[in-house]
Amino acid sequence: MNDNDLWLSLWRDRDTAFHQRKVNSLLIRFWTELKLPRRSRILVPLCGKSLDMIWLSQQGHEVIGVELSPLAVKTFFKENHIKPSRKRDGQLTLWKHGRLSIYCGDLFQLQPEQLGRIDAIYDRAALTALPAGLRGAYIEHLQHLTGKHSPALLLTTEDRQQNESDQHFQGIDTELSLLCATRYRINLQHFEAAYPGQEKNLSQGDTDALNKVYRLTPLD
């Protein structure tokens, strides 16, 4: 099921509580573990107006976001006082300034020849934001775009399922394993309570949601 209209309406109605107003602390903490050289080309799918893209570019990387909402893209550049160029590229519009680019349009219409080489993927809850029926196609399309060789850093927020044990909840998400295990080696690097005040309850199993950091390495 496609939820493009819903996503566009959230931005149009400014219902964007999901947007983080600062760089994600887990990105800062775990990005170096990918051991990527400066000038690596980083794909950020479903990027919104995330400040994580600014931080990644400040590390010397070339950052390529993909975002459906023209309003989100316009706002990103305006709020960061950046004046991009714009041009039509296939079914999408490319906004670009220096090391920062955003393809505005449907991610599934983006093609590998438009992107060129991609060295890594940074997914901040993009996978889990999609309808369940699209997630498998999303993972497949990312590999199509990157030539199946790019590692990925995923930051997700995962909710406890009914009757789920603490051990299972604090391990690799079952859906992620089903979607990615045939393509990637999955390493859960970190988890923590998703909401302030829950940290003390992790050992008691009281928390309802966890922020998780996954490193995905393509299988040979």
Side-chain angles (χ1 to χ4, degrees):
M1 177 180 177
N2 190 308
D3 66 346
N4 284 359
D5 289 342
L6 172 61
W7 185 249
L8 291 170
S9 70
L10 291 176
W11 284 100
R12 185 176 59 249
D13 299 338
R14 299 185 180 183
D15 186 9
T16 56
F18 51 84
H19 170 69
Q20 294 187 329
R21 297 181 181 274
K22 58 184 180 180
V23 179
N24 191 286
S25 61
L26 294 176
L27 169 64
I28 297 171
R29 181 175 171 184
F30 289 97
W31 181 255
T32 56
E33 305 220 355
L34 291 182
K35 296 181 171 60
L36 295 168
R38 289 174 65 86
R39 300 184 182 177
S40 294
R41 304 185 79 243
I42 314 303
L43 178 63
V44 185
L46 282 63
C47 62
K49 59 174 186 175
S50 172
L51 292 176
D52 294 353
M53 292 187 288
I54 297 291
W55 185 86
L56 286 167
S57 71
Q58 290 172 342
Q59 310 315 300
H61 300 311
E62 184 176 349
V63 181
I64 305 100
V66 188
E67 170 53 44
L68 180 68
S69 168
L71 180 58
V73 178
K74 181 179 179 179
T75 303
F76 170 80
F77 286 107
K78 182 178 180 180
E79 290 183 348
N80 290 290
H81 309 290
I82 300 170
K83 295 183 178 180
S85 63
R86 278 187 289 173
K87 68 173 184 178
R88 193 70 178 172
D89 189 345
Q91 299 298 309
L92 297 90
T93 301
L94 176 61
W95 300 54
K96 182 176 178 62
H97 183 276
R99 290 194 298 265
L100 278 169
S101 303
I102 299 180
Y103 279 96
C104 184
D106 190 329
L107 171 70
F108 291 98
Q109 294 181 335
L110 185 63
Q111 300 303 315
E113 55 270 22
Q114 294 171 268
L115 277 179
R117 186 193 83 250
I118 293 295
D119 298 304
I121 301 164
Y122 170 59
D123 178 307
R124 169 63 185 98
L127 174 66
T128 52
L130 288 169
L134 273 182
R135 293 173 187 173
Y138 169 78
I139 295 296
E140 184 175 348
H141 191 59
L142 287 185
Q143 282 213 320
H144 173 62
L145 290 174
T146 60
K148 302 183 180 180
H149 300 301
S150 299
L153 184 73
L154 271 63
L155 276 57
T156 69
T157 299
E158 295 167 18
D159 297 321
R160 180 188 290 277
Q161 303 301 309
Q162 187 175 9
N163 300 321
E164 189 172 27
S165 69
D166 293 343
Q167 184 177 8
H168 189 268
F169 180 46
Q170 295 173 10
I172 294 173
D173 181 70
T174 300
E175 182 185 27
L176 183 65
S177 181
L178 289 172
L179 290 173
C180 299
T182 60
R183 297 180 172 92
Y184 292 96
R185 185 176 300 106
I186 305 171
N187 178 25
L188 175 60
Q189 294 186 279
H190 176 76
F191 65 84
E192 63 183 32
Y195 306 113
Q198 285 192 323
E199 288 82 357
K200 63 181 181 298
N201 298 325
L202 278 175
S203 61
Q204 284 77 38
D206 294 333
T207 186
D208 294 320
L210 293 177
N211 288 328
K212 293 183 178 181
V213 180
Y214 292 99
R215 178 180 177 181
L216 274 58
T217 307
L219 296 172
D220 295 333

